[in-house]
Amino acid sequence: MKSYWVVRGNILNPDEYAKYIKLAGPIIKKYKGIFLARGGKQIELEGKGYERTVLIEFNSYEEALFCYNSDEYQEALNHVKISANRLVSIVEGVN
């Protein structure tokens, strides 16, 4: 069953965050993740919190977790820790 990374964030240091994006994109693609939304135009209708939303589709919940927990992705996350505040969820889709 398809699963998704739902990432909400506020970028605090665009230059440092760009390093994360440069590393993370190819890693996510390597693990068969497909970007469905990546920081485009958005409006928050119920509450406020994050300026950026990213939605990534994976073939399964296990593949989504495996990618997130991979050594490569965890290395890329070092750039996020000093450049953004994020909320990341992995969500299983519906049939």
Side-chain angles (χ1 to χ4, degrees):
M1 182 176 308
K2 301 281 187 182
S3 290
Y4 305 88
W5 286 11
V6 181
V7 182
R8 306 291 317 277
N10 292 320
I11 310 307
L12 307 173
N13 181 331
D15 293 332
E16 188 66 27
Y17 198 74
K19 295 175 187 176
Y20 160 76
I21 291 172
K22 185 176 180 179
L23 293 171
I27 294 166
I28 291 166
K29 288 179 184 178
K30 174 183 173 181
Y31 288 96
K32 301 178 184 162
I34 299 170
F35 287 91
L36 301 178
R38 194 173 193 180
K41 187 175 172 182
Q42 73 177 37
I43 184 170
E44 292 185 322
L45 300 172
E46 296 184 22
K48 300 283 183 212
Y50 297 99
E51 62 194 24
R52 180 177 171 85
T53 301
V54 177
L55 179 63
I56 305 167
E57 180 182 76
F58 288 86
N59 289 322
S60 70
Y61 188 78
E62 292 74 21
E63 286 184 10
L65 280 174
F66 190 76
C67 179
Y68 186 85
N69 290 320
S70 71
D71 290 340
E72 303 144 293
Y73 187 74
Q74 290 301 306
E75 180 80 18
L77 280 179
N78 288 325
H79 295 287
V80 171
K81 293 174 185 174
I82 57 175
S83 67
N85 289 328
R86 302 190 323 162
L87 172 67
V88 179
S89 299
I90 297 177
V91 180
E92 190 173 59
V94 295
N95 289 341

